[in-house]
Amino acid sequence: EAQVTQNPRYLITVTGKKLTVTCSQNMNHEYMSWYRQDPGLGLRQIYYSMNVEVTDKGDVPEGYKVSRKEKRNFPLILESPSPNQTSLYFCASSLMRGRSPGFITDTQYFGPGTRLTVL
Amino acid sequence: AQKVTQAQTEISVVEKEDVTLDCVYETRDTTYYLFWYKQPPSGELVFLIRRNSFDEQNEISGRYSWNFQKSTSSFNFTITASQVVDSAVYFCALLWMDSSYKLIFGSGTRLLVRP
């Protein structure tokens, strides 16, 4: 079954304790992205990646790191979590079509979400 | 600037009623892509439809239909004969065509279908 998986689905942690949220897709998608969803602010992009070893900042990258060592995985790392990072996190992936600079992404499919609480 | 507006914050209907969710977008691009996603109470984001700016044909999928009108920059979503399982938050989104390829989401419309 084609899917995007995230782990853990729920996490409660304390300020400053490093954590990693994993994201994996089995669709051979080039493009992957992390969003956070907050009440009143909607979904905002944190980081994205257009292929292995190619990552870039989205709108709200502060306090987060990512890596893309394999095509299927795109973990989100919080080195020193703070309460303002309490949120619902989504990983998304999609195909890329065309050639640079005319790339276009296909439909972005989302993982089930990770609800993170930082105390 | 790219922007998506969903003016209806919450809609409540009785089962079997038809309901239309509004979406108005702003973009300077001539080529763009619009989406609808559903977020049920369980929290996941479920893809419903994708539409590109060159295809203004309306689409119907079962009880769901979409009306895309470039002249009014609208991409409205209608559920016919609503059911309790349609209760969810529905998001309209616009694909940002720069290097980030991020989705610009509207604020969402919470639909409650009462039995």
Side-chain angles (χ1 to χ4, degrees), chain A residues 9 31 35 37 43 45 48 50 59 88 90 96-97 101-112, chain B residues 31 33 35 37 39 42-47 49-50 89 91 95 97 99-107:
Chain A
R9 294 288 314 279
Y31 180 88
Y35 295 83
Q37 183 180 15
L43 282 96
Q45 190 184 52
Y48 65 95
M50 291 178 62
D59 294 327
L88 178 58
F90 288 100
M96 300 284 299
R97 290 186 283 116
F103 280 128
I104 178 64
T105 58
D106 211 308
T107 298
Q108 291 188 28
Y109 294 95
F110 286 81
Chain B
T31 300
Y33 295 81
F35 301 81
Y37 286 86
Q39 188 173 42
S42 50
E44 70 268 29
L45 281 166
V46 179
F47 164 74
I49 190 171
R50 163 192 167 103
V89 180
F91 290 97
L95 181 65
M97 300 286 280
S99 59
S100 70
Y101 296 101
K102 64 172 174 271
L103 290 169
I104 308 293
F105 283 85
S107 54

Side-chain angles (χ1 to χ4, degrees), chain A residues 41-69:
Chain A
L41 297 175
L43 282 96
R44 296 175 292 169
Q45 190 184 52
I46 303 170
Y47 268 93
Y48 65 95
S49 169
M50 291 178 62
N51 216 325
V52 176
E53 302 293 1
V54 180
T55 64
D56 210 341
K57 297 176 181 178
D59 294 327
V60 288
E62 294 77 22
Y64 304 95
K65 285 175 56 177
V66 293
S67 69
R68 189 90 182 272
K69 295 181 180 152

